[in-house]
Amino acid sequence: MQKLPQDCSPRVIGARARQLVHYSFDVHHWEYHECTGTDHGIDCIIELVEDELWHNKKIEGQIKGTRKPVHIQNGAVISFPIEVKTVNYGLGSNGAFVLFVVDVDKETVYYLPLQDYFIANPNEFVKLEKNKEKINVHIPTCNTVSDNDFELQQIAKSVYIDGPSRNLRRVQ
């Protein structure tokens, strides 16, 4: 029997997640760019098109696929583990950085604007300093990528400033 590389479930889940994120965005409002090369935390960039014009408004995205998201609060929230280094990388961006968690079985793309999450929950910053590899973030299940993408359009227009002592704020 010939020895060949074997496929694995994580690769299939990741590939399906990237595919679902790409095709969930309305092409009339968005241009999807998959990032290639070494993965430092950004899997894709989704650029907003308004009135058929490019205004350089973008979302940097990290895509995570799963078959069994953990629902809490009677199903209203997904608790998802993410690497602290990815969170720190995302929080360092002046533009919007969004975590896309994809339920590949239900073909649903959930999103969490990372900077806005930490601005709304400043006590979460403490978790980043506790020498852990991962923390859990909480994604409202109503945050899904769909044709009704007004909120994502506003997120793409956001600009963030990180001041001393993690004084992160949204300026636009």
Side-chain angles (χ1 to χ4, degrees):
M1 179 180 238
Q2 187 177 19
K3 289 189 177 198
L4 295 170
Q6 186 172 348
D7 202 1
C8 62
S9 180
R11 188 216 52 90
V12 172
I13 291 169
R16 183 70 179 135
R18 288 189 310 277
Q19 184 182 53
L20 287 167
V21 169
H22 183 170
Y23 291 109
S24 294
F25 280 87
D26 182 344
V27 296
H28 293 99
H29 298 151
W30 302 96
E31 177 68 20
Y32 178 93
H33 306 277
E34 184 146 320
C35 296
T36 59
T38 306
D39 183 356
H40 298 289
I42 299 175
D43 293 322
C44 63
I45 297 173
I46 301 107
E47 187 166 0
L48 179 63
V49 181
E50 288 187 295
D51 301 319
E52 299 181 4
L53 298 170
W54 302 96
H55 296 274
N56 199 24
K57 305 300 179 191
K58 301 172 186 161
I59 292 173
E60 296 175 341
Q62 173 64 236
I63 302 170
K64 298 292 185 185
T66 183
R67 284 211 155 101
K68 296 186 188 318
V70 175
H71 290 269
I72 60 173
Q73 298 178 11
N74 294 324
V77 172
I78 292 172
S79 180
F80 191 83
I82 185 169
E83 292 183 345
V84 168
K85 64 183 179 181
T86 301
V87 172
N88 284 328
Y89 184 83
L91 292 176
S93 180
N94 290 338
F97 188 93
V98 174
L99 171 64
F100 295 102
V101 174
V102 184
D103 181 335
V104 296
D105 290 340
K106 293 184 179 177
E107 298 188 350
T108 304
V109 179
Y110 301 98
Y111 68 88
L112 182 68
L114 209 59
Q115 293 106 321
D116 290 343
Y117 177 78
F118 277 85
I119 290 168
N121 302 286
N123 57 334
E124 293 291 306
F125 282 110
V126 174
K127 293 179 182 177
L128 299 175
E129 307 301 326
K130 289 194 173 184
N131 209 16
K132 290 185 175 183
E133 293 291 318
K134 292 185 177 187
I135 63 166
N136 279 8
V137 293
H138 296 148
I139 307 165
T141 54
C142 60
N143 286 7
T144 60
V145 179
S146 67
D147 289 342
N148 183 11
D149 60 8
F150 178 78
E151 181 63 28
L152 282 167
Q153 291 181 37
Q154 299 313 302
I155 291 167
K157 297 174 187 177
S158 300
V159 175
Y160 299 90
I161 296 174
D162 189 3
S165 301
R166 288 260 139 103
N167 185 20
L168 182 66
R169 62 187 191 276
R170 187 175 179 173
V171 294
Q172 190 174 13

